[in-house]
Amino acid sequence: MSNDPIQAHFLEAIQRAKAQALDVSITQPAEKFFARSHQLQYSYNFTWLTRPIIQYPQDIVAFQEVVSQVKPDLILETGIAHGGSLVLSASMLCLLDVMEGLDPRQSPRKVVGVDIDIRHHNRKALDQHPLRFKMELIEGSSIDPEIIHKVRSHADGVDLVLVSLDSNHTHDHVLAELNAYADLVSVGSYCIVFDTAIEDLPHGSFPKRPWDVGNNPKTAVYEWLKSHPEFEIDNNIDNKLLISVAPDGYLKRVR
Ligand SMILES: C[S@@+](CC[C@H](N)C(=O)[O-])C[C@H]1O[C@@H](n2cnc3c(N)ncnc32)[C@H](O)[C@@H]1O
């Protein structure tokens, strides 16, 4: 064990998380909570700096930890919806600037969001948001070659890139997104693939959607990782969250 008390704190936390992830007296209720809360559309209950964010609070905290650790210059996000996750990224980038003594309005840090349908009321609300200066909005499909080109051009010459995928949750779509954007992720940074939890929900949980067990972000992640050993699943995040829409979806670029 480390003599440095701060280091020791973090090492102990990793060990505790490992132990709790093996403890069925907490993992089973967590799974039950996730399944029922999903039916109740729990992820629609929250906002970030006034914009609805379609996430579980646990994943919002994990995102904060990842961004604070990586300190990205650019966050690329697919799936904007009401813009809550975009505002979360923008706010984190502003805080990173402040922590580094930079003026957020002058620093080049930004988040680029792409959505196939940016609804008028959402665009208007984002246009009026105080953190709008940190955001670029791109409308179109995240796997359309023209859109891929547009999104990727924002990464030209950028040192530290983080990618977050939260759009269409079919296997083929997520696989195409991973192939389109994951190579931009810097070593030490993450590609976060949301809604991998679909694989763990009962079959037929999404009657109006094309995704289901066997056809979702987790199946795409597993297939893609076979040929991308430069990425590894960060199990420590899963171990500590226990409740998450992105189990096995926090992919860290390790080489
Ligand atoms: C789950 S929501 C995103 C939630 C958002 N990231 C948040 O945390 O608040 C999914 C979004 O993906 C968008 N979408 C669906 N298919 C897409 C595609 N092919 N390309 C880009 N966005 C797409 C939808 O329009 C929808 O707004």
Side-chain angles (χ1 to χ4, degrees):
M1 198 46 72
S2 167
N3 286 330
D4 173 352
I6 297 175
Q7 192 62 14
H9 169 89
F10 289 122
L11 290 174
E12 280 165 25
I14 291 171
Q15 292 313 321
R16 265 199 314 276
K18 245 186 210 168
Q20 77 174 11
L22 295 171
D23 180 346
V24 291
S25 69
I26 187 167
T27 57
Q28 277 179 358
E31 282 161 25
K32 223 170 160 182
F33 171 85
F34 186 79
R36 181 62 185 140
S37 61
H38 170 263
Q39 288 172 337
L40 296 171
Q41 296 193 300
Y42 177 84
S43 64
Y44 290 81
N45 290 346
F46 306 98
T47 57
W48 190 264
L49 296 176
T50 72
R51 294 307 301 150
I53 182 167
I54 309 171
Q55 296 291 350
Y56 274 53
Q58 287 81 353
D59 288 306
I60 296 175
V61 172
F63 187 78
Q64 175 275 138
E65 290 191 359
V66 165
V67 173
S68 307
Q69 183 206 318
V70 172
K71 302 183 181 65
D73 302 306
L74 174 68
I75 299 178
L76 296 179
E77 282 191 36
T78 68
I80 298 174
H82 301 264
S85 58
L86 215 63
V87 175
L88 170 62
S89 291
S91 66
M92 286 303 304
L93 295 175
C94 286
L95 287 173
L96 289 179
D97 288 339
V98 169
M99 285 166 76
E100 291 173 11
L102 302 172
D103 175 350
R105 286 188 179 273
Q106 304 303 325
S107 121
R109 279 200 170 103
K110 65 180 174 187
V111 54
V112 175
V114 49
D115 199 295
I116 197 163
D117 178 18
I118 306 176
R119 298 201 180 147
H120 176 71
H121 57 277
N122 289 330
R123 185 184 282 277
K124 195 170 159 205
L126 286 173
D127 282 346
Q128 291 170 352
H129 198 279
L131 298 186
R132 179 66 172 87
F133 68 95
K134 275 288 186 203
M135 308 172 200
E136 296 277 349
L137 308 186
I138 296 176
E139 188 161 50
S141 175
S142 54
I143 59 168
D144 174 325
E146 255 181 55
I147 297 293
I148 294 173
H149 180 72
K150 233 188 211 173
V151 173
R152 288 184 64 95
S153 69
H154 286 278
D156 285 348
V158 174
D159 271 351
L160 263 163
V161 180
L162 186 144
V163 169
S164 159
L165 306 178
D166 189 19
S167 66
N168 177 325
H169 303 314
T170 62
H171 176 99
D172 288 349
H173 186 86
V174 177
L175 197 58
E177 285 189 330
L178 284 163
N179 286 328
Y181 304 113
D183 67 300
L184 297 173
V185 172
S186 319
V187 174
S189 183
Y190 286 74
C191 179
I192 306 173
V193 183
F194 286 100
D195 284 282
T196 47
I198 294 167
E199 180 69 2
D200 309 322
L201 289 168
H203 200 278
S205 292
F206 300 86
K208 293 184 188 149
R209 303 290 202 168
W211 47 84
D212 205 334
V213 176
N215 171 17
N216 57 65
K218 193 185 266 188
T219 57
V221 162
Y222 288 169
E223 180 175 333
W224 185 81
L225 281 179
K226 285 182 201 158
S227 52
H228 291 276
E230 70 275 23
F231 281 85
E232 287 177 2
I233 292 168
D234 187 339
N235 292 123
N236 181 42
I237 297 181
D238 297 329
N239 288 347
K240 64 179 162 183
L241 295 187
L242 297 183
I243 294 167
S244 165
V245 299
D248 289 355
Y250 288 88
L251 309 182
K252 183 172 187 172
R253 184 156 192 179
V254 293
R255 52 183 78 90

